[in-house]
Amino acid sequence: MKVKSALILSAGFGTRMGKIGKSLPKPLWPFNGTTLLAEQIQFVRSLGIEDIYVNVHHQAEDVISYVERFFPSVHILHEKEILGSGGAIHNVAHKLSYCGSLLTINSDVLISMNHDEWKEFFLPLMGCSRLLALPVKEIGYNEFILNKSLLSKIEKSTKENYYTYAGVGIIDLEKIDETPGESSFFQTVADFKNKEVEVYRPKTLSYTDYGTLDLYLANIGKIKISSEIGFLKILKKNGKTKLEYLNYGSKTITQDEINPLPE
């Protein structure tokens, strides 16, 4: 199946990124000399997809300015009122006249699989969507309950080994019902109660989550992290640890204390 379009979900409020997250949108946090959003755009392009959409809401002007400067061919969808993941997908679907297939991926999670598994993941769909499953070994996440390879239920898990949603999916836009405004992903897109939703369980998935301040700092593992638009520093003084983000163009944002600093 040829998937020609992708949506990188980037409209969150950044509330899990501490004080700095209120001013610096999560997609623009530094990563490997660039930003999380840039890394995700390049990843989507490596899959052969060039028609890319990015939805924005929190600190929208900053994300729009960045995308227009560095990725002018990427489409920006400014949500003046946040639409949720379901509504964001329907927003793209409307732009595409509910035709074709759409890859959806979060801006703050970086993944990889081997070539053969990507080929399997992109095979033609039986139902309305195919979701990438993440193996989990920790109680408390939402568990995918499967009937063979189809999603039949989602529930809080009490197990230590199960699958949850990795945040990556392929949606057949022709098989979902047009829904305007804000909506939930599992009610209006991957509507497993009324449509067939496939779940793909990979064997070689590498998954790194940068979605909270603790996870970001633990996975970055550096004292200073730079991008094209600014850098983040971890400062230690008098037994205290704080973060400082310097934007090359305008402002310094400081988070006074982090306790404890992730190992």
Side-chain angles (χ1 to χ4, degrees):
M1 176 177 61
K2 179 63 175 177
V3 179
K4 297 181 179 180
S5 303
L7 168 63
I8 302 174
L9 293 159
S10 307
F13 288 99
T15 53
R16 298 183 299 166
M17 302 302 281
K19 180 179 177 181
I20 294 177
K22 296 178 181 178
S23 300
L24 178 65
K26 192 188 304 183
L28 300 189
W29 280 58
F31 177 83
N32 198 26
T34 185
T35 64
L36 289 170
L37 179 58
E39 188 75 11
Q40 208 65 295
I41 290 171
Q42 299 294 9
F43 171 70
V44 170
R45 286 177 171 172
S46 76
L47 298 175
I49 301 173
E50 291 292 338
D51 185 36
I52 300 173
Y53 294 79
V54 172
N55 69 324
V56 299
H57 177 77
H58 175 60
Q59 298 292 323
E61 293 78 10
D62 292 338
V63 184
I64 291 170
S65 176
Y66 178 81
V67 172
E68 288 179 342
R69 178 181 175 187
F70 294 102
F71 301 96
S73 66
V74 169
H75 309 289
I76 301 167
L77 297 176
H78 185 186
E79 298 178 9
K80 294 184 178 180
E81 294 184 1
I82 199 160
L83 296 174
S85 55
I89 291 167
H90 281 284
N91 202 18
V92 177
H94 178 74
K95 298 289 184 183
L96 298 174
S97 300
Y98 281 85
C99 293
S101 296
L102 178 73
L103 175 74
T104 65
I105 190 167
N106 293 323
S107 63
D108 57 2
V109 173
L110 304 182
I111 67 167
S112 65
M113 290 190 299
N114 70 32
H115 178 70
D116 288 340
E117 288 196 309
W118 277 117
K119 285 178 64 177
E120 290 179 0
F121 186 65
F122 279 97
L123 287 174
L125 297 178
M126 296 185 298
C128 68
S129 56
R130 178 178 294 132
L131 309 182
L132 187 64
L134 174 68
V136 178
K137 295 183 178 180
E138 185 177 345
I139 295 173
Y141 289 92
N142 289 327
E143 179 183 358
F144 277 2
I145 308 299
L146 304 181
N147 179 7
K148 296 182 179 179
S149 63
L150 298 179
L151 181 60
S152 63
K153 190 177 181 181
I154 299 175
E155 62 184 19
K156 281 288 184 182
S157 181
T158 57
K159 304 175 185 176
E160 293 186 354
N161 288 282
Y162 56 96
Y163 285 96
T164 191
Y165 182 39
V168 181
I170 300 174
I171 314 301
D172 186 338
L173 300 180
E174 298 177 19
K175 294 180 181 178
I176 63 174
D177 300 324
E178 185 171 352
T179 307
E182 181 182 2
S183 68
S184 164
F185 178 74
F186 286 106
Q187 291 180 351
T188 69
V189 179
D191 179 13
F192 61 91
K193 293 181 180 179
N194 298 297
K195 300 178 186 291
E196 288 189 343
V197 174
E198 302 170 50
V199 175
Y200 183 75
R201 290 166 285 180
K203 296 179 180 178
T204 66
L205 180 66
S206 172
Y207 178 98
T208 310
D209 188 350
Y210 296 89
T212 71
L213 182 58
D214 284 356
L215 287 171
Y216 175 86
L217 294 174
N219 288 323
I220 288 290
K222 296 179 181 179
I223 301 299
K224 181 177 178 180
I225 312 106
S226 299
S227 76
E228 317 93 323
I229 56 173
F231 64 85
L232 189 71
K233 293 193 297 184
I234 301 174
L235 308 171
K236 296 183 179 181
K237 187 176 181 179
N238 299 327
K240 294 184 178 181
T241 302
K242 70 177 182 179
L243 286 181
E244 185 175 270
Y245 178 80
L246 175 63
N247 183 299
Y248 297 138
S250 57
K251 57 192 175 183
T252 298
I253 312 165
T254 299
Q255 179 158 314
D256 294 328
E257 201 167 335
I258 312 166
N259 256 325
L261 183 70
E263 296 293 334

